[in-house]
Amino acid sequence: MNLFDKTLLDFLEPLAKLSSDRKQELADVCFIEKVGKGIDPLRMNVTQAPQLIYLTKGDLGLCFHDDRKLILRGGSPAAKHPINNGHQIKQVVALTDVEILRADADLLDIMLMWDQLSGMRSVAAGQAASGLFI
């Protein structure tokens, strides 16, 4: 088990949208992984499960299918978003030793849905209590 500062989830999108209870549940199954310079962290998914991958420390070189190149730095505003979320990335390489956070994408979708549904129930219950909902 790799422990990390769970407040990190408050700064990553869409993880920050989760309720505090859901963040705690997700934090229990997320982990920080150290990746050495010259390695592609996206190819290291040993579970082969859909994952969201966030750069938390270090620098990554990204090359997109349209041949654009970008350096992503951990802690930057762009690093609040998953590296592999819908981008057409052709190649990734760690330019320094890096740390990445892996989150199960399917579990996150379920948790976001639970929070959304529980919020809808709370609103409906409040409307019923105030007599606005019949």
Side-chain angles (χ1 to χ4, degrees):
M1 179 165 72
N2 193 353
L3 299 176
F4 64 95
D5 182 1
K6 293 175 176 129
T7 61
L8 176 63
L9 301 183
D10 293 331
F11 302 101
L12 302 175
E13 294 298 333
L15 308 180
K17 294 176 183 166
L18 291 170
S19 67
S20 58
D21 289 342
R22 297 287 176 253
K23 280 184 204 160
Q24 181 59 50
E25 291 173 17
L26 186 63
D28 291 341
V29 295
C30 286
F31 58 97
I32 295 282
E33 182 178 325
K34 296 179 189 235
V35 178
K37 181 179 177 179
I39 305 291
D40 177 352
L42 298 183
R43 294 182 181 240
M44 299 176 68
N45 182 357
V46 294
T47 66
Q48 299 301 310
Q51 297 179 337
L52 296 178
I53 300 172
Y54 298 87
L55 177 65
T56 59
K57 289 185 183 174
D59 296 334
L60 283 179
L62 306 175
C63 181
F64 298 89
H65 284 288
D66 63 3
D67 290 327
R68 287 182 304 122
K69 294 182 179 179
L70 174 78
I71 295 176
L72 181 63
R73 177 159 286 148
S76 69
K80 291 180 2 180
H81 304 280
I83 300 164
N84 61 334
N85 193 22
H87 304 294
Q88 297 295 318
I89 297 176
K90 180 167 55 173
Q91 184 179 13
V92 177
V93 65
L95 301 175
T96 64
D97 289 345
V98 300
E99 287 185 5
I100 58 169
L101 178 122
R102 292 182 185 270
D104 183 300
D106 293 336
L107 179 60
L108 176 61
D109 284 344
I110 292 167
M111 289 179 160
L112 287 167
M113 184 178 60
W114 285 344
D115 275 355
Q116 184 179 16
L117 290 174
S118 67
M120 290 171 58
R121 281 194 295 262
S122 297
V123 169
Q127 288 174 341
S130 66
L132 296 175
F133 191 75
I134 301 175

